[in-house]
Amino acid sequence: MGISFKRSSRIDKKSDEKKVHDLNPVNHVHSVDEFKQDQSAIIAIQRDILTPLLHQPSNLSHYGDAIIQDQQRFLAQANIAHSAELGRLIQNIIAQLNQSKKLFSAKKYHFLHRWFGVDLEHQAGSINFLKSLEKSIEQATILSQCVYGEIMQSQHNFKALEAKREDMSQHIQAAEQFLQQSKRFASSAQYESFSVRLDKKINMLMTSQHATDLAMAQIQLNQNVALTILDRFNEAKNVLIPLWYQQIRASHAGQSPAELEKLNRLREQLIQTLNIEPSQVQSTSMYQDQSQQIPNTEEK
């Protein structure tokens, strides 16, 4: 995500980035503009927020808290809540498809089977199976539309999180610079207490941002998994399932070995398309636990 919060390497990293930009005139112009904007924002934070804190040190406890609260809100809103449920429903559809191997296979009925209606019973079982499968597919279709909306919302909130991450970077850099600069205009007694508390606050903000970064990485993973689930389900529903239904009708009409073999191949292709690793499905529900571990940066 591009922003380093490691205090000891900040200066070195900026120097390295400047060397890279110097090799490219176009990038060099762009980077200078960005630096001016960032430094302007940092100076504004130092002037409007940090300098007054020297005279109102009790408010230092809340420095950066608004950003933390915004991040927590965006993390909660970035959750793709129904992705795991859709994955489980698709696994249920796969289980139903596996059961169909017994229903749609070559059957030979002799006179007694027909006399006792075994053929009709088998036919009724096939019809009930297809109705049950269609119901599951309909439920998954409705759920997939919900998941699509959640993915769009998640992507929107992820962009907001990236913007808040930049805000946090500016607040941390402003505080680090102010920590050194305030030595020159604050009294020794005033600075000693303030500097200890500000240094502690900087570390707290870094710890909080690190936890948010982990949650953001999980959000991206969840989005990718949810999109994969949607793509596979839509391919199965719109292409493979209609072909499979068509082949079921063809195999019932003739029940030739070639038709049944084609039916089996289509079923296996359908199962492989729908099948998502269980670990991937489970990962979509992990990020919320991580986001709840973001520490409160307010001093005790």
Side-chain angles (χ1 to χ4, degrees), residues 85-102:
E85 183 180 352
L86 177 60
R88 288 190 293 268
L89 185 54
I90 290 175
Q91 291 299 317
N92 182 56
I93 292 174
I94 292 174
Q96 289 177 287
L97 290 169
N98 282 321
Q99 293 173 0
S100 71
K101 295 177 182 180
K102 297 180 180 179

Side-chain angles (χ1 to χ4, degrees), residues 178-287:
F178 190 79
L179 193 60
Q180 301 301 321
Q181 296 168 359
S182 58
K183 292 179 180 179
R184 292 177 290 183
F185 57 84
S187 65
S188 58
Q190 182 186 34
Y191 175 77
E192 183 177 356
S193 174
F194 181 81
S195 64
V196 171
R197 294 181 63 229
L198 182 56
D199 186 71
K200 181 179 179 182
K201 188 66 179 184
I202 292 171
N203 288 329
M204 286 182 172
L205 292 178
M206 287 182 171
T207 301
S208 175
Q209 187 59 53
H210 177 68
T212 301
D213 288 347
L214 293 177
M216 289 175 69
Q218 185 63 45
I219 287 173
Q220 286 186 309
L221 176 60
N222 293 348
Q223 290 174 355
N224 292 335
V225 172
L227 286 169
T228 299
I229 292 175
L230 278 186
D231 288 344
R232 292 193 177 194
F233 174 71
N234 287 330
E235 179 186 356
K237 186 191 72 165
N238 297 326
V239 179
L240 297 177
I241 289 178
L243 286 175
W244 188 62
Y245 282 166
Q246 182 179 356
Q247 190 58 38
I248 287 175
R249 291 191 291 269
S251 63
H252 268 296
Q255 283 204 347
S256 67
E259 294 291 347
L260 290 172
E261 177 62 25
K262 186 175 181 181
L263 179 63
N264 289 332
R265 287 200 306 269
L266 280 172
R267 179 179 53 242
E268 293 305 316
Q269 183 181 359
L270 180 55
I271 290 174
Q272 290 176 8
T273 299
L274 287 171
N275 196 24
I276 304 290
E277 290 293 332
S279 58
Q280 287 185 307
V281 175
Q282 292 173 1
S283 71
T284 61
S285 60
M286 290 173 54
Y287 113 88

Side-chain angles (χ1 to χ4, degrees), residues 74-91:
F74 289 132
L75 284 172
Q77 294 174 351
N79 185 25
I80 306 176
H82 293 88
S83 180
E85 183 180 352
L86 177 60
R88 288 190 293 268
L89 185 54
I90 290 175
Q91 291 299 317

Side-chain angles (χ1 to χ4, degrees), residues 121-214:
E121 182 180 349
H122 182 266
Q123 185 179 3
S126 300
I127 293 173
N128 290 334
F129 166 81
L130 290 175
K131 287 182 178 179
S132 176
L133 180 61
E134 288 173 358
K135 183 178 180 180
S136 296
I137 293 172
E138 182 180 354
Q139 291 174 343
T141 299
I142 295 172
L143 201 57
S144 69
Q145 295 169 351
C146 179
V147 169
Y148 176 78
E150 291 176 345
I151 291 173
M152 296 298 101
Q153 183 65 33
S154 178
Q155 291 175 341
H156 173 77
N157 284 287
F158 190 86
K159 291 181 180 178
L161 280 167
E162 290 180 321
K164 290 298 175 182
R165 193 177 194 280
E166 180 64 26
D167 288 345
M168 180 63 79
S169 173
Q170 292 172 355
H171 274 68
I172 291 173
Q173 291 182 60
E176 288 182 326
Q177 293 178 14
F178 190 79
L179 193 60
Q180 301 301 321
Q181 296 168 359
S182 58
K183 292 179 180 179
R184 292 177 290 183
F185 57 84
S187 65
S188 58
Q190 182 186 34
Y191 175 77
E192 183 177 356
S193 174
F194 181 81
S195 64
V196 171
R197 294 181 63 229
L198 182 56
D199 186 71
K200 181 179 179 182
K201 188 66 179 184
I202 292 171
N203 288 329
M204 286 182 172
L205 292 178
M206 287 182 171
T207 301
S208 175
Q209 187 59 53
H210 177 68
T212 301
D213 288 347
L214 293 177

Side-chain angles (χ1 to χ4, degrees), residues 40-54 56 59 63 171 174 178:
S40 176
I42 289 171
I43 292 173
I45 293 170
Q46 293 172 344
R47 180 188 65 240
D48 301 333
I49 301 177
L50 288 167
T51 299
L53 290 179
L54 278 171
Q56 296 176 316
N59 292 337
Y63 179 73
H171 274 68
F178 190 79

